[in-house]
Each structure stands twice: as C-alpha cells, then as structure tokens.
Amino acid sequence: MPAAPAAAVVELLGRDGRAVLVQRVTRWPVRIGRSPACDIVLDDAHLAAEHAELQLAPAGGVRLKLLDSRNGGAVAGKRLPAGAEAVLPAGGAFQLGGCSLRLRTSADALAPEQLLVVHPVRHWALVPLLLVAMLFLQWLDRWSAVDPDARWVDYASPLLAPLALTLGWAGLWSLASQLFQHRFPFTTHLRRVLVAIVALQLLEWLLPALAYAFSWPRLMALESLSMPVAAALLIAWHARLVWPGARRTLNGGIAALLLLGLGLQVAGRQEQQYTFGPPYLASLPPPALRIAPARPPQALIESLKPLKAELARQARKDNEGSDLPDADAGDGGE
C-alpha cells in the first residue's frame, strides 16, 4: 500500500478561490458526499449521499474515484461521469457537482506568509468634517445662484441629492469590497469620495479667483480637466482597496479610458476658440482680489484690430446672402 501523507485537508473553495470550509483528513480512503457517514460532509443538493472517494494511487499521488451520482465531477477541466477515475493534478483541485474542492497535504509547498497591513486609524471627526465642508460648499454655490428671498425648500434638492449620491457611491464600493475582500469598509470609501468632492468644490471656487487676480484666463482650462481627471483618480483609489493585487492592470485601464475621454472632448471642441474651459469669466470676483496691473483701454483696442478684417469679410458674406432672395423675388415679379 502506498504511504499516506502525514497530514491532509480538503478545502471547499468559494467563487474567489478562497477556502470557505476546511476539513481534516483522518483516514484513507476519504469518502465525500452529503451523508453523515462520509468523511467529508458537504451541504450541496447537487451531490449524492456518497458522491466520490479519494484514494492513494499505487504510483504515488491521490486518485479521485466517482461513485454512483447524477452530476459526476471534473478534474483539470475535464468532465468525468459516475464510475470514472482520475489522478489529481498538482495543486489538488477537483470539482464534485457544484462544489469546487482542493486537496492539500503536508507534502505540498505552502505560500509564503503575507504581511499584515494595518491601516492607521483615522481621526473620528474627519468624515463628519468632510461632510460638513461638502454641504457648506453646496449651500454656498446655491446661495450665490438664487434670489436673496429664496425659501429653505429651494436649498433642499441641491444639498440632499449630492449627499444621497455620495452615500450610495461609497455603499456600492463597500459592497465590492465585501465581495472580493470579505470586509465592508464603508467609512474608508466614504472618506475617499468626500476628499475628492471637497477638493473639486474648492477648485471650482479658486480657479476663477486666481484667473481674475493674475489675469490668466487660460487657467480656466483646468476646470474642464479637473472633473475627468479627479473621477479617474477616485476610481483608481477605490479599486486599490477592492482589488489590491490587480493595481497595475486597473491603473492602466483607467488611464487609457481617461485619455480616450479627453481625446473625444478635444475633438468635440475643435471649432471653439478654447479647447478646454470657457473663453471668458461669466462672473467677476471682488475688485479687491485683483493683483495683476490694470491695462489701458488702448491695449484692448489694439488687441481687437486683427478682428476687423474677419468681421468685414463676414459682413460682406452676410450681405451677399441677403441679396439673393430679393433678386429672385424681382425675377419672379417680372
């Protein structure tokens, strides 16, 4: 009889490949099924009472023998009917009915111990402060857009809708973490999305002020770039917590989608004077914030001179187009 391994376990694997149930092998052969009389008992309606048996192969290794069942099993991706036998490959993976199983023995090499990363505990007031900052900036933006005598109801939707979307966004990423990492870090995901939203809100207020103060109108181009770039960084930040092992692949895919989106945005604005951002400020900050020196009116007149020829050409074109209907009408009258 071949020598039995010093110790062995049979693991039930989940959809993510992790062991959700581990049962020690106490004797050989190992009978697997739903019956309490089996050595490995599995609660799966797709298994027979005594579905399969693990036996020590005479040439070494372990052999899977399928007993009388309707669903059979599989080894190395090959389906096996009832009564068939197959030697388990390296790694000991096999399938019975709807169960993915793995045999591990003391002779198998163990993966190296992984370093336990303990994230530092954030201050308890950080998330409430970020929530207050987000709601305050939303209220400030609404206050600057409505009439002074607006009712409190006019502020409800601009405040509650972003709050609900933020909580829902963090909840969906927490569910993804629960699915792939078996934990529900709602506070961590909420903190990350709040950091991104507050940063975008501050940038929305600071960019016009800086562009006005230093007379840098092209600085407003960052306003159109900030949203897609911040969204890509935020998704990568969330995905880093959900799929830490696929960080490079995810970052590459997110970067490619970002470049594609920016390219489409540029292509859609080819006829505009500015590829990104508005060509002028719709509202001006207080004059006290102006730092750049004032330019004389003559400088504005000189800068508009190149437009004279273009405007004259456009006027002639419009006049020629307006004369055509009159000429046709005269011909028709004759």
Side-chain angles (χ1 to χ4, degrees):
M1 292 294 296
V9 294
V10 174
E11 299 174 338
L12 175 64
L13 305 180
R15 288 179 296 177
D16 57 353
R18 296 189 178 189
V20 297
L21 177 66
V22 180
Q23 296 194 30
R24 181 181 293 276
V25 175
T26 58
R27 61 178 182 177
W28 294 91
V30 182
R31 186 150 295 195
I32 304 173
R34 287 188 296 122
S35 172
C38 293
D39 302 298
I40 304 295
V41 181
L42 299 175
D43 184 15
D44 187 353
H46 301 94
L47 296 181
E50 296 182 351
H51 197 97
E53 194 174 71
L54 294 176
Q55 303 173 350
L56 298 176
V62 178
R63 181 177 56 195
L64 173 67
K65 180 180 180 181
L66 295 176
L67 305 178
D68 187 18
S69 66
R70 299 179 62 184
N71 295 314
V75 174
K78 181 181 179 181
R79 297 297 305 178
L80 300 175
E85 299 182 5
V87 177
L88 295 184
F94 62 99
Q95 186 172 353
L96 297 179
C99 296
S100 296
L101 303 167
R102 179 173 59 197
L103 174 69
R104 285 199 303 115
T105 69
S106 55
D108 297 331
L110 286 175
E113 180 184 5
Q114 297 183 2
L115 179 64
L116 177 63
V117 179
V118 180
H119 297 281
V121 179
R122 305 291 181 180
H123 197 273
W124 64 271
L126 181 58
V127 171
L129 287 176
L130 289 173
L131 278 172
V132 171
M134 182 191 74
L135 294 176
F136 172 75
L137 292 173
Q138 290 285 349
W139 171 85
L140 188 62
D141 184 69
R142 184 61 177 172
W143 172 79
S144 63
V146 299
D147 297 331
D149 57 347
R151 300 172 301 171
W152 67 269
V153 184
D154 299 330
Y155 293 88
S157 177
L159 294 181
L160 296 180
L163 179 61
L165 290 175
T166 301
L167 296 177
W169 175 273
L172 289 176
W173 281 103
S174 302
L175 289 176
S177 299
Q178 177 68 32
L179 180 62
F180 291 96
Q181 298 296 326
H182 303 284
R183 54 197 182 101
F184 194 81
F186 178 78
T187 304
T188 303
H189 285 294
L190 180 60
R191 181 172 59 249
R192 296 187 176 189
V193 66
L194 286 175
V195 168
I197 291 177
V198 172
L200 284 175
Q201 290 175 329
L202 292 175
L203 196 64
E204 183 180 356
W205 283 90
L206 288 177
L207 281 180
L210 292 176
Y212 170 78
F214 295 98
S215 190
W216 294 338
R218 294 301 180 91
L219 190 63
M220 295 299 296
L222 296 178
E223 186 177 8
S224 298
L225 292 173
S226 60
M227 179 60 72
V229 172
L233 293 177
L234 179 60
I235 292 175
W237 201 10
H238 283 302
R240 182 179 180 181
L241 192 64
V242 177
W243 302 286
R247 184 182 308 175
R248 291 185 178 180
T249 303
L250 290 171
N251 291 342
I254 294 172
L257 292 177
L258 174 61
L259 293 177
L260 178 61
L262 294 178
L264 294 176
Q265 188 174 1
V266 172
R269 299 189 177 189
Q270 288 181 351
E271 298 181 356
Q272 298 185 7
Q273 185 178 2
Y274 294 95
T275 303
F276 294 101
Y280 58 88
L281 295 177
S283 59
L284 297 179
L289 298 178
R290 182 72 174 179
I291 298 177
R295 301 180 64 183
Q298 188 63 29
L300 176 61
I301 296 175
E302 294 294 332
S303 65
L304 295 177
K305 283 184 177 180
L307 297 177
K308 182 178 180 180
E310 177 64 24
L311 292 175
R313 187 187 67 83
Q314 187 65 36
R316 288 194 303 269
K317 182 178 179 181
D318 294 340
N319 291 333
E320 293 173 358
S322 62
D323 292 341
L324 291 177
D326 294 339
D328 295 340
D331 296 339
E334 293 177 356

